[in-house]
Structures are given as C-alpha cells and as structure tokens.
Amino acid sequence: MTDTLVAFLRTQFTEELEKARFASSTVTQDPERFGVAPEDAARHARFSVATAEVHLALLEDTVIPYLGTAGPGGRNAEYQLRLLAAPHVEHNDYPHDQPGSPA
C-alpha cells in the first residue's frame, strides 16, 4: 500500500504544480480579464506555486527516504504520508487499503 500511495501522491503533487504554474502564468499575464488586481494575481500565483512545490518537496525529501525504516522515523514517515494523502481520499485513483494487503 505504501508504494502505491507514494506513486499516487507523487502524481497528484506533480499535476498540482503544473496546474499552479499554468494558472499563475495565465492570470498574471492578463489579471484584468479575471477581475483581479495585478498585485493580487501575482501574490496568489506565488502562493499557489509555492504550496505545490512544498507538498512535492515534503513528500520527496522528508517522507519517502524514511518509509519502511525501523523506529520512530519510519512510523512518523508513514503517518506523514497518510496525512498528505488525506485530502485526496475521494479521488477516483486513490489507492484504498484492500483487505489482506500490507499497509
């Protein structure tokens, strides 16, 4: 389950980053078209991209390296993985636990 959840989250976070970059580029090029002030568009664009980058970095740098390790580090990594996945549980591709499958 852990490997499939990692792959699922990596895909989700990569897509979120791509969407944030695209939306940021679109809105900041013509903010009036979307009814927002240029400074608000720029601020929101930076926030959206930074949030997506942080999710991906957290997964790659602080969760994945410790998954499957013994002790508190491994337990914390699995807990963090599940916390990162929680907002996506209703997604059609979410890898729900199957009876009898390893967690």
Side-chain angles (χ1 to χ4, degrees), residues 25-86:
S25 172
T26 302
V27 173
T28 56
Q29 287 177 6
D30 191 8
E32 293 81 20
R33 177 177 161 206
F34 299 97
V36 296
E39 60 275 4
D40 291 338
R43 187 177 315 113
H44 184 71
R46 287 189 305 272
F47 175 79
S48 297
V49 170
T51 300
E53 288 174 340
V54 165
H55 286 152
L56 195 54
L58 182 63
L59 177 67
E60 296 291 343
D61 299 340
T62 67
V63 175
I64 293 173
Y66 299 97
L67 286 171
T69 61
R75 288 191 300 274
N76 285 340
E78 183 153 344
Y79 181 63
Q80 289 172 335
L81 179 68
R82 295 191 184 278
L83 286 174
L84 287 171

Short mmCIF file of all heavy atoms in Angstrom, two decimals, residues 25-86:
data_model
loop_
_atom_site.label_atom_id
_atom_site.label_comp_id
_atom_site.label_asym_id
_atom_site.label_seq_id
_atom_site.Cartn_x
_atom_site.Cartn_y
_atom_site.Cartn_z
N SER A 25 0.68 31.67 -14.69
CA SER A 25 1.11 32.32 -15.92
C SER A 25 -0.07 32.98 -16.61
O SER A 25 0.02 34.13 -17.06
CB SER A 25 1.76 31.29 -16.84
OG SER A 25 2.02 31.86 -18.10
N THR A 26 -1.17 32.29 -16.68
CA THR A 26 -2.36 32.80 -17.36
C THR A 26 -2.92 34.03 -16.65
O THR A 26 -3.18 35.04 -17.29
CB THR A 26 -3.43 31.70 -17.44
OG1 THR A 26 -2.89 30.57 -18.13
CG2 THR A 26 -4.67 32.19 -18.15
N VAL A 27 -3.08 33.95 -15.36
CA VAL A 27 -3.71 35.04 -14.61
C VAL A 27 -2.79 36.26 -14.53
O VAL A 27 -3.25 37.39 -14.65
CB VAL A 27 -4.13 34.57 -13.20
CG1 VAL A 27 -4.62 35.73 -12.35
CG2 VAL A 27 -5.22 33.52 -13.31
N THR A 28 -1.51 36.05 -14.33
CA THR A 28 -0.61 37.19 -14.20
C THR A 28 -0.38 37.91 -15.52
O THR A 28 -0.02 39.09 -15.52
CB THR A 28 0.74 36.80 -13.57
OG1 THR A 28 1.34 35.77 -14.35
CG2 THR A 28 0.57 36.34 -12.14
N GLN A 29 -0.60 37.25 -16.64
CA GLN A 29 -0.44 37.91 -17.94
C GLN A 29 -1.59 38.87 -18.23
O GLN A 29 -1.40 39.86 -18.93
CB GLN A 29 -0.34 36.87 -19.06
CG GLN A 29 0.99 36.15 -19.07
CD GLN A 29 1.05 35.08 -20.15
OE1 GLN A 29 0.15 34.95 -20.98
NE2 GLN A 29 2.11 34.31 -20.14
N ASP A 30 -2.78 38.57 -17.73
CA ASP A 30 -3.95 39.42 -18.01
C ASP A 30 -4.91 39.39 -16.82
O ASP A 30 -6.02 38.87 -16.91
CB ASP A 30 -4.65 38.93 -19.29
CG ASP A 30 -5.70 39.90 -19.79
OD1 ASP A 30 -5.79 41.03 -19.25
OD2 ASP A 30 -6.44 39.52 -20.71
N PRO A 31 -4.49 39.93 -15.68
CA PRO A 31 -5.31 39.84 -14.47
C PRO A 31 -6.66 40.55 -14.59
O PRO A 31 -7.65 40.10 -13.99
CB PRO A 31 -4.44 40.47 -13.38
CG PRO A 31 -3.44 41.28 -14.10
CD PRO A 31 -3.26 40.65 -15.44
N GLU A 32 -6.73 41.62 -15.37
CA GLU A 32 -8.00 42.34 -15.51
C GLU A 32 -9.08 41.45 -16.12
O GLU A 32 -10.26 41.57 -15.79
CB GLU A 32 -7.80 43.61 -16.35
CG GLU A 32 -6.95 44.67 -15.68
CD GLU A 32 -5.45 44.40 -15.81
OE1 GLU A 32 -5.01 43.63 -16.71
OE2 GLU A 32 -4.70 44.95 -14.97
N ARG A 33 -8.67 40.57 -17.00
CA ARG A 33 -9.61 39.65 -17.63
C ARG A 33 -10.31 38.78 -16.59
O ARG A 33 -11.46 38.38 -16.75
CB ARG A 33 -8.86 38.77 -18.62
CG ARG A 33 -9.71 37.72 -19.28
CD ARG A 33 -8.91 36.93 -20.29
NE ARG A 33 -9.58 35.69 -20.58
CZ ARG A 33 -9.00 34.60 -21.00
NH1 ARG A 33 -7.70 34.58 -21.21
NH2 ARG A 33 -9.69 33.52 -21.23
N PHE A 34 -9.61 38.50 -15.48
CA PHE A 34 -10.16 37.66 -14.42
C PHE A 34 -10.72 38.49 -13.26
O PHE A 34 -11.13 37.94 -12.24
CB PHE A 34 -9.08 36.69 -13.92
CG PHE A 34 -8.60 35.76 -15.00
CD1 PHE A 34 -7.44 36.03 -15.70
CD2 PHE A 34 -9.33 34.63 -15.33
CE1 PHE A 34 -7.01 35.20 -16.71
CE2 PHE A 34 -8.91 33.78 -16.34
CZ PHE A 34 -7.74 34.07 -17.04
N GLY A 35 -10.69 39.79 -13.42
CA GLY A 35 -11.27 40.67 -12.42
C GLY A 35 -10.46 40.79 -11.14
O GLY A 35 -11.03 41.00 -10.07
N VAL A 36 -9.15 40.65 -11.24
CA VAL A 36 -8.30 40.79 -10.06
C VAL A 36 -7.22 41.84 -10.33
O VAL A 36 -6.83 42.08 -11.47
CB VAL A 36 -7.63 39.45 -9.65
CG1 VAL A 36 -8.67 38.43 -9.23
CG2 VAL A 36 -6.77 38.91 -10.76
N ALA A 37 -6.77 42.44 -9.26
CA ALA A 37 -5.70 43.43 -9.37
C ALA A 37 -4.40 42.70 -9.69
O ALA A 37 -4.19 41.57 -9.24
CB ALA A 37 -5.57 44.19 -8.06
N PRO A 38 -3.52 43.35 -10.45
CA PRO A 38 -2.25 42.70 -10.81
C PRO A 38 -1.45 42.23 -9.60
O PRO A 38 -0.89 41.12 -9.62
CB PRO A 38 -1.50 43.79 -11.58
CG PRO A 38 -2.58 44.65 -12.14
CD PRO A 38 -3.68 44.64 -11.12
N GLU A 39 -1.40 43.04 -8.54
CA GLU A 39 -0.63 42.62 -7.36
C GLU A 39 -1.27 41.43 -6.66
O GLU A 39 -0.57 40.57 -6.13
CB GLU A 39 -0.40 43.80 -6.39
CG GLU A 39 -1.66 44.42 -5.84
CD GLU A 39 -2.28 45.50 -6.74
OE1 GLU A 39 -1.80 45.74 -7.86
OE2 GLU A 39 -3.29 46.08 -6.31
N ASP A 40 -2.61 41.37 -6.66
CA ASP A 40 -3.29 40.22 -6.07
C ASP A 40 -3.05 38.95 -6.90
O ASP A 40 -2.85 37.86 -6.36
CB ASP A 40 -4.79 40.47 -5.93
CG ASP A 40 -5.11 41.52 -4.89
OD1 ASP A 40 -4.28 41.76 -4.00
OD2 ASP A 40 -6.21 42.11 -4.98
N ALA A 41 -3.07 39.12 -8.21
CA ALA A 41 -2.82 37.98 -9.09
C ALA A 41 -1.41 37.45 -8.88
O ALA A 41 -1.19 36.23 -8.78
CB ALA A 41 -3.01 38.39 -10.55
N ALA A 42 -0.44 38.34 -8.78
CA ALA A 42 0.95 37.93 -8.58
C ALA A 42 1.12 37.24 -7.23
O ALA A 42 1.80 36.21 -7.13
CB ALA A 42 1.88 39.13 -8.69
N ARG A 43 0.51 37.80 -6.20
CA ARG A 43 0.62 37.21 -4.86
C ARG A 43 -0.01 35.81 -4.83
O ARG A 43 0.59 34.87 -4.30
CB ARG A 43 -0.07 38.12 -3.84
CG ARG A 43 0.14 37.69 -2.41
CD ARG A 43 -0.50 38.63 -1.37
NE ARG A 43 -0.24 40.04 -1.66
CZ ARG A 43 -1.18 40.93 -2.03
NH1 ARG A 43 -2.43 40.56 -2.16
NH2 ARG A 43 -0.85 42.19 -2.26
N HIS A 44 -1.17 35.69 -5.41
CA HIS A 44 -1.83 34.37 -5.42
C HIS A 44 -1.04 33.37 -6.27
O HIS A 44 -0.95 32.19 -5.91
CB HIS A 44 -3.26 34.50 -5.95
CG HIS A 44 -4.01 33.21 -5.90
ND1 HIS A 44 -4.43 32.64 -4.73
CD2 HIS A 44 -4.35 32.35 -6.89
CE1 HIS A 44 -5.03 31.49 -4.99
NE2 HIS A 44 -4.99 31.29 -6.29
N ALA A 45 -0.48 33.83 -7.36
CA ALA A 45 0.33 32.95 -8.21
C ALA A 45 1.52 32.41 -7.43
O ALA A 45 1.80 31.21 -7.46
CB ALA A 45 0.79 33.70 -9.45
N ARG A 46 2.23 33.30 -6.73
CA ARG A 46 3.38 32.85 -5.94
C ARG A 46 2.95 31.86 -4.86
O ARG A 46 3.61 30.85 -4.63
CB ARG A 46 4.09 34.05 -5.30
CG ARG A 46 4.88 34.88 -6.28
CD ARG A 46 5.75 35.92 -5.58
NE ARG A 46 5.01 36.79 -4.68
CZ ARG A 46 4.41 37.93 -5.02
NH1 ARG A 46 4.47 38.33 -6.28
NH2 ARG A 46 3.78 38.66 -4.13
N PHE A 47 1.84 32.15 -4.20
CA PHE A 47 1.34 31.27 -3.14
C PHE A 47 0.97 29.88 -3.71
O PHE A 47 1.35 28.87 -3.13
CB PHE A 47 0.12 31.90 -2.47
CG PHE A 47 -0.52 31.00 -1.45
CD1 PHE A 47 0.02 30.86 -0.18
CD2 PHE A 47 -1.67 30.27 -1.77
CE1 PHE A 47 -0.57 30.02 0.76
CE2 PHE A 47 -2.25 29.43 -0.84
CZ PHE A 47 -1.69 29.30 0.43
N SER A 48 0.27 29.85 -4.82
CA SER A 48 -0.16 28.58 -5.40
C SER A 48 1.02 27.71 -5.82
O SER A 48 1.04 26.50 -5.55
CB SER A 48 -1.07 28.82 -6.61
OG SER A 48 -2.23 29.49 -6.22
N VAL A 49 1.98 28.32 -6.47
CA VAL A 49 3.16 27.58 -6.91
C VAL A 49 3.97 27.11 -5.71
O VAL A 49 4.39 25.95 -5.64
CB VAL A 49 4.01 28.41 -7.89
CG1 VAL A 49 5.35 27.74 -8.17
CG2 VAL A 49 3.25 28.64 -9.19
N ALA A 50 4.17 27.99 -4.74
CA ALA A 50 4.95 27.63 -3.55
C ALA A 50 4.29 26.49 -2.78
O ALA A 50 4.98 25.57 -2.32
CB ALA A 50 5.13 28.84 -2.65
N THR A 51 2.98 26.53 -2.65
CA THR A 51 2.26 25.46 -1.94
C THR A 51 2.46 24.12 -2.64
O THR A 51 2.75 23.11 -2.00
CB THR A 51 0.76 25.79 -1.84
OG1 THR A 51 0.61 27.01 -1.12
CG2 THR A 51 -0.01 24.69 -1.15
N ALA A 52 2.33 24.11 -3.95
CA ALA A 52 2.52 22.87 -4.71
C ALA A 52 3.97 22.37 -4.60
O ALA A 52 4.21 21.18 -4.46
CB ALA A 52 2.13 23.08 -6.16
N GLU A 53 4.92 23.29 -4.66
CA GLU A 53 6.33 22.90 -4.53
C GLU A 53 6.62 22.33 -3.15
O GLU A 53 7.38 21.35 -3.02
CB GLU A 53 7.24 24.11 -4.80
CG GLU A 53 7.28 24.52 -6.24
CD GLU A 53 8.06 25.80 -6.48
OE1 GLU A 53 8.25 26.59 -5.52
OE2 GLU A 53 8.46 26.03 -7.63
N VAL A 54 6.03 22.91 -2.12
CA VAL A 54 6.26 22.43 -0.76
C VAL A 54 5.69 21.03 -0.57
O VAL A 54 6.34 20.18 0.04
CB VAL A 54 5.66 23.42 0.27
CG1 VAL A 54 5.54 22.80 1.65
CG2 VAL A 54 6.50 24.67 0.33
N HIS A 55 4.50 20.77 -1.10
CA HIS A 55 3.93 19.42 -0.97
C HIS A 55 4.84 18.38 -1.62
O HIS A 55 5.10 17.33 -1.04
CB HIS A 55 2.55 19.36 -1.61
CG HIS A 55 1.50 20.04 -0.82
ND1 HIS A 55 0.38 20.58 -1.39
CD2 HIS A 55 1.38 20.24 0.51
CE1 HIS A 55 -0.37 21.12 -0.45
NE2 HIS A 55 0.21 20.92 0.72
N LEU A 56 5.33 18.69 -2.80
CA LEU A 56 6.20 17.75 -3.50
C LEU A 56 7.53 17.57 -2.76
O LEU A 56 8.01 16.45 -2.59
CB LEU A 56 6.43 18.23 -4.94
CG LEU A 56 7.02 17.23 -5.92
CD1 LEU A 56 6.21 15.94 -5.98
CD2 LEU A 56 7.09 17.85 -7.30
N ALA A 57 8.10 18.67 -2.28
CA ALA A 57 9.37 18.58 -1.53
C ALA A 57 9.20 17.82 -0.23
O ALA A 57 10.06 17.01 0.15
CB ALA A 57 9.91 19.98 -1.26
N LEU A 58 8.11 18.06 0.47
CA LEU A 58 7.85 17.34 1.71
C LEU A 58 7.79 15.83 1.46
O LEU A 58 8.42 15.05 2.17
CB LEU A 58 6.55 17.83 2.35
CG LEU A 58 6.18 17.21 3.69
CD1 LEU A 58 7.22 17.54 4.75
CD2 LEU A 58 4.81 17.70 4.13
N LEU A 59 7.06 15.45 0.43
CA LEU A 59 6.96 14.03 0.09
C LEU A 59 8.33 13.45 -0.27
O LEU A 59 8.74 12.43 0.29
CB LEU A 59 5.99 13.84 -1.08
CG LEU A 59 5.83 12.41 -1.58
CD1 LEU A 59 5.14 11.54 -0.53
CD2 LEU A 59 5.05 12.38 -2.89
N GLU A 60 9.02 14.10 -1.17
CA GLU A 60 10.28 13.57 -1.69
C GLU A 60 11.43 13.62 -0.68
O GLU A 60 12.25 12.71 -0.63
CB GLU A 60 10.70 14.32 -2.96
CG GLU A 60 9.75 14.16 -4.13
CD GLU A 60 9.74 12.77 -4.74
OE1 GLU A 60 10.67 11.98 -4.50
OE2 GLU A 60 8.79 12.48 -5.49
N ASP A 61 11.49 14.69 0.11
CA ASP A 61 12.67 14.91 0.96
C ASP A 61 12.52 14.45 2.41
O ASP A 61 13.51 14.12 3.05
CB ASP A 61 13.04 16.40 0.97
CG ASP A 61 13.41 16.91 -0.41
OD1 ASP A 61 13.73 16.09 -1.30
OD2 ASP A 61 13.35 18.14 -0.61
N THR A 62 11.30 14.46 2.92
CA THR A 62 11.15 14.13 4.35
C THR A 62 10.29 12.92 4.63
O THR A 62 10.27 12.46 5.76
CB THR A 62 10.60 15.33 5.15
OG1 THR A 62 9.26 15.58 4.74
CG2 THR A 62 11.44 16.57 4.95
N VAL A 63 9.56 12.43 3.64
CA VAL A 63 8.72 11.25 3.86
C VAL A 63 9.32 10.01 3.21
O VAL A 63 9.62 9.02 3.88
CB VAL A 63 7.27 11.49 3.37
CG1 VAL A 63 6.44 10.23 3.48
CG2 VAL A 63 6.62 12.64 4.14
N ILE A 64 9.50 10.05 1.91
CA ILE A 64 9.95 8.86 1.17
C ILE A 64 11.25 8.27 1.71
O ILE A 64 11.33 7.05 1.89
CB ILE A 64 10.04 9.16 -0.34
CG1 ILE A 64 8.64 9.39 -0.90
CG2 ILE A 64 10.74 8.03 -1.09
CD1 ILE A 64 8.60 9.86 -2.34
N PRO A 65 12.27 9.08 2.02
CA PRO A 65 13.53 8.48 2.49
C PRO A 65 13.39 7.67 3.78
O PRO A 65 14.24 6.82 4.06
CB PRO A 65 14.46 9.68 2.70
CG PRO A 65 13.89 10.77 1.86
CD PRO A 65 12.42 10.54 1.85
N TYR A 66 12.36 7.93 4.56
CA TYR A 66 12.23 7.27 5.86
C TYR A 66 11.15 6.19 5.90
O TYR A 66 11.01 5.50 6.92
CB TYR A 66 11.96 8.33 6.95
CG TYR A 66 13.10 9.30 7.03
CD1 TYR A 66 13.03 10.52 6.37
CD2 TYR A 66 14.27 8.97 7.69
CE1 TYR A 66 14.10 11.40 6.40
CE2 TYR A 66 15.34 9.85 7.72
CZ TYR A 66 15.25 11.06 7.08
OH TYR A 66 16.31 11.93 7.10
N LEU A 67 10.40 6.03 4.82
CA LEU A 67 9.38 4.98 4.80
C LEU A 67 10.03 3.61 4.90
O LEU A 67 11.04 3.34 4.26
CB LEU A 67 8.55 5.07 3.52
CG LEU A 67 7.55 6.21 3.46
CD1 LEU A 67 6.96 6.31 2.05
CD2 LEU A 67 6.46 6.05 4.50
N GLY A 68 9.47 2.78 5.73
CA GLY A 68 9.98 1.41 5.88
C GLY A 68 11.15 1.28 6.83
O GLY A 68 11.65 0.18 7.03
N THR A 69 11.60 2.39 7.41
CA THR A 69 12.69 2.29 8.37
C THR A 69 12.14 1.94 9.75
O THR A 69 10.99 2.22 10.06
CB THR A 69 13.51 3.59 8.46
OG1 THR A 69 12.65 4.65 8.89
CG2 THR A 69 14.11 3.96 7.11
N ALA A 70 12.96 1.34 10.55
CA ALA A 70 12.54 0.94 11.89
C ALA A 70 12.50 2.15 12.82
O ALA A 70 13.19 3.14 12.61
CB ALA A 70 13.51 -0.11 12.45
N GLY A 71 11.68 2.04 13.81
CA GLY A 71 11.65 3.05 14.86
C GLY A 71 10.75 4.23 14.57
O GLY A 71 9.93 4.20 13.64
N PRO A 72 10.92 5.27 15.37
CA PRO A 72 10.04 6.43 15.26
C PRO A 72 10.10 7.12 13.90
O PRO A 72 9.08 7.63 13.42
CB PRO A 72 10.53 7.38 16.35
CG PRO A 72 11.41 6.60 17.23
CD PRO A 72 11.87 5.40 16.47
N GLY A 73 11.26 7.15 13.27
CA GLY A 73 11.39 7.79 11.97
C GLY A 73 10.49 7.16 10.93
O GLY A 73 9.81 7.85 10.17
N GLY A 74 10.47 5.85 10.89
CA GLY A 74 9.62 5.13 9.95
C GLY A 74 8.14 5.31 10.25
O GLY A 74 7.33 5.48 9.34
N ARG A 75 7.81 5.28 11.54
CA ARG A 75 6.40 5.49 11.93
C ARG A 75 5.95 6.91 11.58
O ARG A 75 4.84 7.11 11.06
CB ARG A 75 6.20 5.21 13.41
CG ARG A 75 6.28 3.72 13.76
CD ARG A 75 5.82 3.44 15.18
NE ARG A 75 6.59 4.13 16.20
CZ ARG A 75 7.73 3.68 16.73
NH1 ARG A 75 8.22 2.51 16.33
NH2 ARG A 75 8.37 4.38 17.65
N ASN A 76 6.80 7.88 11.84
CA ASN A 76 6.46 9.27 11.51
C ASN A 76 6.31 9.45 10.00
O ASN A 76 5.40 10.16 9.55
CB ASN A 76 7.53 10.24 12.03
CG ASN A 76 7.44 10.44 13.52
OD1 ASN A 76 6.40 10.19 14.14
ND2 ASN A 76 8.53 10.90 14.11
N ALA A 77 7.17 8.84 9.22
CA ALA A 77 7.09 8.96 7.77
C ALA A 77 5.78 8.38 7.25
O ALA A 77 5.13 8.99 6.39
CB ALA A 77 8.28 8.27 7.11
N GLU A 78 5.38 7.24 7.78
CA GLU A 78 4.11 6.65 7.33
C GLU A 78 2.93 7.53 7.74
O GLU A 78 1.99 7.72 6.98
CB GLU A 78 3.93 5.23 7.86
CG GLU A 78 2.65 4.64 7.31
CD GLU A 78 2.66 3.14 7.21
OE1 GLU A 78 3.74 2.53 7.26
OE2 GLU A 78 1.57 2.58 7.06
N TYR A 79 2.99 8.08 8.93
CA TYR A 79 1.93 8.97 9.41
C TYR A 79 1.87 10.22 8.52
O TYR A 79 0.79 10.65 8.10
CB TYR A 79 2.17 9.34 10.87
CG TYR A 79 1.12 10.23 11.46
CD1 TYR A 79 -0.20 9.81 11.58
CD2 TYR A 79 1.45 11.51 11.90
CE1 TYR A 79 -1.17 10.63 12.13
CE2 TYR A 79 0.48 12.34 12.44
CZ TYR A 79 -0.82 11.90 12.55
OH TYR A 79 -1.78 12.73 13.08
N GLN A 80 3.03 10.80 8.20
CA GLN A 80 3.07 11.98 7.34
C GLN A 80 2.53 11.65 5.94
O GLN A 80 1.82 12.46 5.34
CB GLN A 80 4.50 12.52 7.23
CG GLN A 80 4.99 13.16 8.50
CD GLN A 80 6.46 13.51 8.43
OE1 GLN A 80 7.22 12.91 7.68
NE2 GLN A 80 6.86 14.49 9.22
N LEU A 81 2.86 10.48 5.44
CA LEU A 81 2.36 10.06 4.14
C LEU A 81 0.84 10.03 4.14
O LEU A 81 0.19 10.54 3.24
CB LEU A 81 2.92 8.68 3.78
CG LEU A 81 2.46 8.09 2.45
CD1 LEU A 81 3.03 8.90 1.28
CD2 LEU A 81 2.88 6.64 2.35
N ARG A 82 0.27 9.46 5.19
CA ARG A 82 -1.19 9.38 5.27
C ARG A 82 -1.83 10.75 5.47
O ARG A 82 -2.92 11.01 4.96
CB ARG A 82 -1.60 8.39 6.33
CG ARG A 82 -1.16 6.97 5.93
CD ARG A 82 -1.74 5.90 6.79
NE ARG A 82 -1.20 4.62 6.40
CZ ARG A 82 -1.65 3.87 5.39
NH1 ARG A 82 -2.64 4.30 4.66
NH2 ARG A 82 -1.11 2.71 5.12
N LEU A 83 -1.15 11.63 6.19
CA LEU A 83 -1.66 13.00 6.33
C LEU A 83 -1.66 13.73 4.99
O LEU A 83 -2.62 14.43 4.65
CB LEU A 83 -0.84 13.79 7.35
CG LEU A 83 -1.04 13.44 8.81
CD1 LEU A 83 -0.04 14.21 9.67
CD2 LEU A 83 -2.46 13.75 9.25
N LEU A 84 -0.58 13.57 4.24
CA LEU A 84 -0.52 14.19 2.92
C LEU A 84 -1.58 13.63 1.98
O LEU A 84 -2.10 14.35 1.12
CB LEU A 84 0.87 13.98 2.30
CG LEU A 84 2.01 14.79 2.89
CD1 LEU A 84 3.34 14.31 2.33
CD2 LEU A 84 1.81 16.27 2.62
N ALA A 85 -1.91 12.37 2.15
CA ALA A 85 -2.89 11.73 1.27
C ALA A 85 -4.33 12.03 1.66
O ALA A 85 -5.23 11.95 0.82
CB ALA A 85 -2.67 10.22 1.28
N ALA A 86 -4.57 12.40 2.90
CA ALA A 86 -5.93 12.56 3.41
C ALA A 86 -6.82 13.47 2.55
O ALA A 86 -7.98 13.11 2.30
CB ALA A 86 -5.90 13.04 4.86
#
